[in-house]
Amino acid sequence: MSKTILVVDDSSSFRTVVKLALQKAGYVVVEAVDGEDAKGKLEAHKPNLIVCDVNMPRLDGLSFARFVKAGPFKFTPIIMLTTESQDTKKAEGKAAGVRAWITKPFQPSQLVDAVSRLCM
């Protein structure tokens, strides 16, 4: 059975790049435009893993990660895929339960490797 990945990013072109890379690797991809949108898709799609940007309107990625880890999806791995590279942001992500941090620009193979490692 295919694993479902929830991709949360406010850039539609960026979501498309991520979606194509993950679909090519055999994953089912569900897209959300920000953390608020993603909250509504958790229950409906029960993703095996979440790939999320940090900077988004309405609900940012770190706040969304804290929301996920406080609820029934607390064991769902989260990968941050973001332009943010500061150690303080990474530490905040780790504290929020983020399992991997990939900085944009990125190689699609790097993302697929991280997803396959975390998506059992």
Side-chain angles (χ1 to χ4, degrees):
M1 190 167 124
S2 295
K3 302 283 186 183
T4 300
I5 312 297
L6 176 59
V7 176
V8 189
D9 198 306
D10 56 325
S11 162
S12 63
S13 59
F14 202 78
R15 285 195 314 274
T16 300
V17 168
V18 172
K19 180 168 102 175
L20 292 173
L22 292 172
Q23 285 178 333
K24 190 175 170 192
Y27 296 101
V28 174
V29 177
V30 175
E31 296 178 60
V33 298
D34 61 27
E36 225 23 80
D37 184 30
K39 282 165 63 172
K41 296 187 176 180
L42 282 171
E43 192 57 47
H45 298 282
K46 298 181 175 39
N48 300 96
L49 184 137
I50 298 164
V51 175
C52 189
D53 189 14
V54 171
N55 300 309
M56 297 180 290
R58 296 199 306 160
L59 185 64
D60 69 90
L62 293 170
S63 298
F64 175 65
R66 286 188 281 273
F67 170 83
V68 170
K69 295 304 178 181
F73 295 93
K74 65 181 170 229
F75 298 114
T76 305
I78 299 173
I79 296 173
M80 281 295 167
L81 185 57
T82 179
T83 56
E84 298 288 346
S85 61
Q86 308 92 322
D87 290 338
T88 52
K89 281 282 187 204
K90 292 178 182 178
E92 204 179 328
K94 190 170 186 169
V98 173
R99 298 278 305 277
W101 195 281
I102 299 172
T103 307
K104 298 175 185 174
F106 72 105
Q107 292 299 320
S109 60
Q110 181 187 13
L111 175 63
V112 171
D113 288 348
V115 168
S116 63
R117 273 197 323 275
L118 293 172
C119 201
M120 275 48 103

